[in-house]
Amino acid sequence: MDGEVTIPSGGYWGPITASTEWCESNYQVTPYIAEFYNTLSNFPGIILAFIGLIYSINQKFERRFSVLHLSTIALGIGSILFHATLQHAQQQSDETPMVWVMLLHIYVLYSPDWHYRSTMPTFLFLYGTIFAVLHSQFRFVVGFQLHYVFLALLCLPRMYKYYIHTTDPLVRNLAHRYIMCLVLGAICWLVDRNLCHLMSNLWINPQGHALWHIFTGFNSYFGTTFLQFCRAQQLDWSPKLCYLGGVLPYVKVKRRKET
């Protein structure tokens, strides 16, 4: 019939060109989305980052936090494109922002005590640009994963330093939730990656990679909120941890000129 779309037998997006696949049957739910659950599971992280962006702007936090939330949104969109298509080009729109977001976290964590302030953003920008170019040309799957873990580990000592200097029990609990989501997400990722032969034989596939997306979405939100509180303390903004709907934490500040 005229106007009828012909869908290839392998799915709407054609043969898979991505270097990585996950433990979810391709095009099982709809012929238009390669990995249905891995695609939809990015939306909670995008929504959380959008909420965080609104509060960052509303409370007039430094621009770095707004950029961090925007980068997280871009990462979520890139991940949607990747898992929906399983194409090599879209894979770069997922994995490259993952590294960029980690570099932004490193900047937010370490820049307050960095004496040569112009050198850090310049170095991180060049580092991210060179990585993006190299990653688009070479498919180093394990190398990319180890690189991402290394960047994440660089953040943890600084997060711990902020934690031990924080006395507010609510803020400490926020840091606990950050770590909990990080650990649970990592477990889900490892199980999905290494035990797929077992997960696929269960009555219901637990969709470990989709759970990883959800946990890392909350992990990113909790981590950024924790850093905002610590930064507000450094600037003597009298921060207070509040809760949207009694559930979702955000930081409210009161600068001295507002008293």
Side-chain angles (χ1 to χ4, degrees):
M1 294 178 62
D2 292 341
E4 184 174 316
V5 177
T6 301
I7 298 175
S9 57
Y12 179 79
W13 302 103
I16 294 168
T17 60
S19 59
T20 304
E21 287 190 71
W22 304 96
C23 193
E24 179 180 354
S25 299
N26 298 336
Y27 297 105
Q28 187 175 40
V29 177
T30 169
Y32 296 100
I33 300 177
E35 294 179 341
F36 183 80
Y37 298 105
N38 287 347
T39 299
L40 293 188
S41 58
N42 286 285
F43 283 100
I46 292 175
I47 294 170
L48 287 170
F50 184 73
I51 293 172
L53 175 63
I54 292 174
Y55 279 113
S56 294
I57 295 173
N58 179 263
Q59 295 297 306
K60 298 179 181 178
F61 273 98
E62 295 162 302
R63 192 176 302 170
R64 66 190 68 177
F65 291 104
S66 295
V67 173
L68 186 53
H69 284 302
L70 286 170
S71 298
T72 303
I73 293 171
L75 168 58
I77 294 173
S79 185
I80 287 172
L81 294 175
F82 168 44
H83 290 288
T85 65
L86 290 180
Q87 298 298 300
H88 175 66
Q90 282 72 23
Q91 183 177 359
Q92 308 313 304
S93 69
D94 174 29
E95 294 181 348
T96 298
M98 286 176 65
V99 170
W100 288 351
V101 168
M102 292 311 305
L103 294 177
L104 282 167
H105 273 288
I106 290 172
Y107 175 72
V108 170
L109 281 163
Y110 287 97
S111 61
D113 295 331
W114 193 262
H115 298 295
Y116 305 99
R117 294 192 177 183
S118 63
T119 59
M120 177 175 280
T122 301
F123 171 77
L124 294 177
F125 174 79
L126 291 174
Y127 187 99
T129 301
I130 293 171
F131 168 81
V133 173
L134 292 177
H135 192 51
S136 66
Q137 300 300 316
F138 304 100
R139 301 191 178 198
F140 34 84
V141 177
V142 176
F144 164 77
Q145 294 167 356
L146 292 175
H147 177 232
Y148 181 77
V149 171
F150 170 73
L151 294 177
L153 291 176
L154 284 179
C155 296
L156 292 180
R158 192 69 172 183
M159 291 288 284
Y160 179 70
K161 179 181 178 180
Y162 283 135
Y163 174 80
I164 62 177
H165 286 92
T166 300
T167 57
D168 190 319
L170 291 178
V171 180
R172 285 200 158 207
N173 180 261
L174 180 62
H176 296 163
R177 283 194 274 176
Y178 162 81
I179 293 297
M180 181 185 68
C181 288
L182 178 64
V183 171
L184 290 176
I187 292 172
C188 291
W189 189 95
L190 289 169
V191 169
D192 186 86
R193 189 69 180 161
N194 299 294
L195 299 177
C196 184
H197 60 290
L198 296 177
M199 298 300 104
S200 299
N201 291 327
L202 297 176
W203 182 56
I204 297 179
N205 186 333
Q207 303 298 342
H209 196 74
L211 291 174
W212 150 263
H213 286 159
I214 294 172
F215 281 125
T216 53
F218 278 96
N219 165 263
S220 178
Y221 181 85
F222 291 152
T224 303
T225 304
F226 175 77
L227 289 176
Q228 285 180 319
F229 186 94
C230 295
R231 181 57 176 162
Q233 278 189 321
Q234 289 177 336
L235 297 172
D236 198 20
W237 285 356
S238 302
K240 179 182 178 182
L241 195 64
C242 302
Y243 286 86
L244 177 63
V247 177
L248 196 63
Y250 68 94
V251 179
K252 188 174 182 179
V253 300
K254 188 174 184 180
R255 297 167 179 81
R256 287 191 174 185
K257 65 179 182 180
E258 295 175 348
T259 58

